[in-house]
Amino acid sequence: MTNPSTPHRMRRLRQSPAIRRLVQDTHIHVAQLIYPLFIREGQGIKKAIQSMPGQYQLSLDHLTEEILSLCELGITQVLLFGIPDNKDAIGSAACQPNGVVQKAIKLIKQIAPEMLVIADLCFCEYTSHGHCGVLTENGRDVDNDATLPLLVEQALSLAAAGVDIIAPSGMMDHMVHALRQGLDLCGYQHLPIMSYAVKFASHYYGPFREAAEGTPQFGDRRSYQMDIACGASALREAELDIQEGADLLIVKPAGHYLDIIYKVKQTYPFIPVVAYQVSGEYAAIKAATLQGWLDEQGAVMESLIAIKRSGADLIITYFAKTVASWLKEITA
Ligand code: PBG
Ligand code: ZN
């Protein structure tokens, strides 16, 4: 027998799809998804990335069709990574006016002027040693302060090519300050900085190293990326980047770092927080769904909803295209 005086019945608002939709507080929208692209020098290249099924390295000729298909799906923001033909100790290919990313930016702006182009700003894809900056004299570590002017040079070159947002990912100290100053001095006061402020030294970047061909030739990145067991430094990193002029903050990886996303958003509600669902998160979900062990749509949507629910405003994800096509089906 039901007790008519019992007021609490949680199930009242779960009875039907319509009523559940009515009370949902977390939504995934294509406008909040950023799709990463790996651009290669050369012609006729659409090279599958083994550890990221469904993702490719593209040469510029293939980029055109990719951009058109993104527009069709309603995805209007991409994050570019470049894979140059020539690497050297100082990553000079990163700063050339006809560098691979610079050419990609110009091409995208030609085919789809409304596409928002974000460029990753770092040296690991361009240096022969695979580290995120130039090395110290003994060749064993990244030289923080010597890397800063090179990052500024790379930023100015991307700005000249017409980039909409730069995303410095190297975790050098004072990187945002140096970039903001360099951009402002050269007339790019309006170019926003989306900083990888809170970036952990994660094993989940593994597949990306295949995708972007930026594996360190010795050592690892733990002298500049954050210790996974030191959550407290997240707020300090966020605070410093905001003081230095970051306009948006990236937290990376996403799925295992929801506590960090939550804290950053709660502490800085006025700054857009971008969560990066990284290559290893993609690979793990993809592997399980390809085996038939997890339902793809269910597992992917749950991973993204959890990231948004924790406080992320935007999500960088390799699932962006797949999700956009599902959302299109639902609203069709
Ligand atoms: C380059 C960079 C990395 C990622 C984004 N920018 C690799 C790294 O820092 O080692 C990882 C992205 C991913 O795993 O999807 N600094
Ligand atoms: Zn790097």
Side-chain angles (χ1 to χ4, degrees):
M1 266 283 284
T2 45
N3 177 351
S5 67
T6 303
H8 304 298
R9 290 224 164 248
M10 295 308 287
R11 293 180 56 188
R12 273 185 210 123
L13 297 183
R14 293 175 195 155
Q15 293 173 63
S16 66
I19 206 160
R20 287 194 295 270
R21 200 168 57 232
L22 181 76
V23 296
Q24 280 172 354
D25 57 14
T26 306
H27 301 95
I28 302 295
H29 195 280
V30 278
Q32 299 153 339
L33 302 179
I34 300 169
Y35 187 59
L37 287 171
F38 299 101
I39 319 292
R40 257 209 105 96
E41 284 286 3
Q43 271 278 320
I45 300 167
K46 183 173 178 181
K47 186 176 173 220
I49 300 160
Q50 295 307 318
S51 51
M52 300 176 72
Q55 306 301 316
Y56 301 85
Q57 292 181 346
L58 302 172
S59 54
L60 288 176
D61 50 328
H62 279 287
L63 180 60
T64 306
E65 66 200 31
E66 181 69 16
I67 293 297
L68 294 176
S69 96
L70 290 172
C71 291
E72 187 119 323
L73 287 164
I75 296 174
T76 52
Q77 42 283 326
V78 289
L79 172 62
L80 303 184
F81 295 96
I83 305 140
D85 270 346
N86 298 308
K87 305 190 185 214
D88 59 26
I90 58 164
S92 38
C95 309
Q96 285 157 3
N98 63 345
V100 62
V101 171
Q102 287 81 352
K103 282 189 287 192
I105 295 166
K106 288 183 208 152
L107 179 68
I108 297 171
K109 286 290 163 189
Q110 257 170 33
I111 0 173
E114 72 280 11
M115 182 67 72
L116 195 78
V117 183
I118 309 165
D120 187 86
L121 187 78
C122 200
F123 279 98
C124 45
E125 293 117 59
Y126 299 91
T127 50
S128 41
H129 45 75
H131 277 286
C132 298
V134 290
L135 301 182
T136 51
E137 237 159 77
N138 65 19
R140 277 189 240 122
D141 198 6
V142 172
D143 188 333
N144 192 95
D145 295 3
T147 299
L148 298 179
L150 297 174
L151 284 169
V152 173
E153 203 185 320
Q154 191 182 1
L156 292 173
S157 156
L158 296 167
V163 78
D164 293 301
I165 300 179
I166 54 163
S169 66
M171 291 297 281
M172 294 300 116
D173 282 331
H174 307 137
M175 145 186 110
V176 175
H177 172 77
L179 288 167
R180 188 70 274 158
Q181 203 173 37
L183 289 168
D184 289 356
L185 280 172
C186 294
Y188 296 110
Q189 295 90 339
H190 301 293
L191 191 72
I193 298 177
M194 178 191 276
S195 176
Y196 287 75
V198 184
K199 176 171 175 178
F200 288 91
S202 170
H203 282 92
Y204 284 78
Y205 306 151
F208 176 92
R209 307 248 166 107
E210 179 202 340
E213 300 182 12
T215 307
Q217 296 305 300
F218 63 90
D220 53 44
R221 302 209 207 285
R222 283 186 283 188
S223 75
Y224 40 105
Q225 298 181 353
M226 290 165 57
D227 188 330
I228 57 167
C230 189
S233 57
L235 289 181
R236 185 73 179 129
E237 288 281 1
E239 176 186 73
L240 288 169
D241 275 26
I242 292 170
Q243 281 170 1
E244 291 180 25
D247 301 288
L248 307 97
L249 297 184
I250 299 178
V251 176
K252 174 180 172 204
H256 291 328
Y257 295 81
L258 300 182
D259 56 328
I260 305 289
I261 297 172
Y262 177 82
K263 271 192 227 162
V264 170
K265 190 63 200 177
Q266 293 287 313
T267 312
Y268 305 106
F270 48 86
I271 288 269
V273 173
V274 186
Y276 197 147
Q277 185 181 50
V278 299
S279 57
E281 301 180 78
Y282 175 83
I285 296 174
K286 202 72 191 173
T289 58
L290 285 171
Q291 291 282 344
W293 294 340
L294 282 177
D295 170 68
E296 185 173 31
Q297 187 165 347
V300 170
M301 292 310 287
E302 187 168 334
S303 72
L304 297 176
I305 287 169
I307 293 166
K308 284 225 72 192
R309 202 184 56 229
S310 72
D313 299 291
L314 306 171
I315 305 176
I316 303 169
T317 175
Y318 302 97
F319 287 116
K321 282 176 76 176
T322 323
V323 170
S325 65
W326 292 332
L327 294 175
K328 228 175 168 182
E329 271 168 39
I330 295 166
T331 50

